[in-house]
Amino acid sequence: MISCSPAEPVVPKEGGGNRERGAAPRWILADFDDTLAPGDSHAGLLRYILRRRIWPLLLLPVIALGGVVYLVPSQRRRGISLIWWAITLGLSPLGWRKLVRAYCHTRPGLFREAHRLLEEEGHRCWVLSASPRALVRAQLALQRPANLPYRTIGSRMHYRLGGLMPRFYCHGQHKLLPEICALDTELALSDSLHDLPLLGLGEQGWLINPTPARLEKARARLPHLMVKNWQL
């Protein structure tokens, strides 16, 4: 039985065997940053915006406070909201879209194995990311315009008090939306220990490019995890 409650331990989903032809598809759940693509594009976008706007450095104490608050697990959304608000204060919607598009052209692209996965299985792949949904979709559209995943779910941004911040922060346990828990998931993949609840939904779980320490911690909770070393 799958646990979808933040207070319960992660329990891997038992295999359901082969499906009869014509049955509902079995799904793939994939993280984005450092899983399908190398690097943290979320943090990278924040740095990119800050370098191009410069003046929000005057709000460095607010940015630093946000970083400290973010380190408290129960306050991550508030911490990241402070950082986003300070860096984007006064940024217009048009300016926001332009910066996202420009930043995507600086990114290294997807791992080779991620290209192959989306080529073969994109029609049944859900991409879930803590990065803003607009950022993830823009990167996927740039890299694979003809083979987008079935659905992309990310943090939902909105304007408040003159700056952007997440209305919904799609991180860790918050990726376990009701529609995600209801899927018949064949495979889940991520690089992050924060995504162990997501990995537990899959009949198979892939941990992408783990360090030995991260692998040891992950397998202490999900012994069935498989290691995948992906490259550009």
Side-chain angles (χ1 to χ4, degrees), residues 15-173:
N18 294 328
R19 288 304 189 93
E20 296 180 1
R21 185 174 299 178
R26 306 196 67 199
W27 298 99
I28 296 171
L29 307 178
D31 177 44
F32 185 78
D33 290 326
D34 274 323
T35 300
L36 298 181
D40 185 345
S41 65
H42 189 182
L45 176 61
L46 285 166
R47 291 192 296 267
Y48 183 87
I49 296 173
L50 187 58
R51 286 196 301 267
R52 273 144 188 80
R53 303 193 75 213
I54 303 298
W55 77 261
L57 285 171
L58 297 173
L59 298 174
L60 191 57
V62 178
I63 297 172
L65 176 61
V68 172
V69 173
Y70 182 82
L71 295 176
V72 181
S74 63
Q75 301 297 318
R76 290 188 187 278
R77 188 184 67 81
R78 288 185 173 87
I80 200 69
S81 293
L82 280 173
I83 295 170
W84 267 104
W85 177 83
I87 292 177
T88 63
L89 183 63
L91 180 65
S92 70
L94 179 59
W96 156 246
R97 290 192 293 270
K98 286 182 176 179
L99 285 168
V100 168
R101 287 195 297 268
Y103 172 67
C104 288
H105 284 279
T106 72
R107 296 283 295 149
L110 306 180
F111 288 121
R112 287 179 296 182
E113 294 83 355
H115 276 290
R116 190 177 306 120
L117 178 69
L118 292 176
E119 177 75 29
E120 298 173 357
E121 307 291 353
H123 63 283
R124 62 189 185 105
C125 184
W126 294 58
V127 175
L128 300 101
S129 178
S131 292
R133 182 172 180 265
L135 172 60
V136 177
R137 284 178 60 87
Q139 291 180 81
L140 289 168
L142 183 63
Q143 295 295 322
R144 302 200 56 83
N147 294 99
L148 293 175
Y150 175 80
R151 189 171 175 188
T152 301
I153 297 176
S155 295
R156 294 195 296 267
M157 309 298 291
H158 71 141
Y159 277 93
R160 186 175 181 186
L161 302 176
L164 276 167
M165 61 179 65
R167 183 196 305 272
F168 165 68
Y169 187 40
C170 188
H171 180 271
Q173 196 78 29

